[in-house]
Amino acid sequence: MDRLDSELFTIADAMGLPREPARPSAKETPCAGAEPAAVSALETASLRLFLERKGRSGKTVTRLAGLPPGERSARLVKELKQRLGCGAALEESAVFFQGDQRARLLILLKELGARNVKIV
């Protein structure tokens, strides 16, 4: 009964099982053959944000240039559109967002891991 009064009484003690040391957490013990995390193309790309009005009936658009082809996917454009709350189109080698979205787009791209983003 004095085992029950002890602070260190565990379920293993109640079941009569031997005590095992606590397992180390996954954060403390890295895998021996683990490779470093892959650098995404967004991190290394040189992205530029432009404001354009020409050829669009006077309507303002923000052009995102320099996006690598692998990152210029429908999924990324869709996520940016949703988070900005505006329309966007993928044309040629750039993505066009409706309105002046330069400052907001800069913040979102940095959140997604882009390091080299400039407003031109």
Side-chain angles (χ1 to χ4, degrees):
M1 194 66 183
D2 48 53
R3 287 177 65 188
L4 288 174
D5 296 331
S6 168
E7 293 177 20
L8 302 174
F9 186 76
T10 64
I11 294 174
D13 293 332
M15 295 177 67
L17 299 172
R19 288 186 178 215
E20 296 178 10
R23 287 186 238 158
S25 70
K27 293 179 181 175
E28 294 174 3
T29 54
C31 297
E35 297 178 10
V39 177
S40 76
L42 223 122
E43 290 180 17
T44 58
S46 177
L47 303 176
R48 300 291 178 256
L49 297 169
F50 300 91
L51 188 66
E52 295 181 354
R53 284 189 194 94
K54 293 181 180 176
R56 302 190 185 278
S57 302
K59 298 190 178 177
T60 305
V61 295
T62 303
R63 178 170 55 111
L64 171 62
L67 206 56
E71 293 295 320
R72 199 174 43 246
S73 64
R75 179 183 292 162
L76 177 65
V77 173
K78 182 177 180 179
E79 181 181 351
L80 290 172
K81 280 173 36 173
Q82 287 176 344
R83 292 179 71 180
L84 288 170
C86 72
L90 180 61
E91 296 177 11
E92 300 170 9
S93 63
V95 181
F96 292 91
F97 296 91
Q98 293 177 352
D100 186 0
Q101 306 292 338
R102 293 174 295 176
R104 295 175 62 205
L105 198 53
L106 176 71
I107 293 168
L108 282 176
L109 289 169
K110 295 226 179 204
E111 285 177 8
L112 292 173
R115 294 184 183 169
N116 189 8
V117 184
K118 291 184 182 173
I119 297 175
V120 180

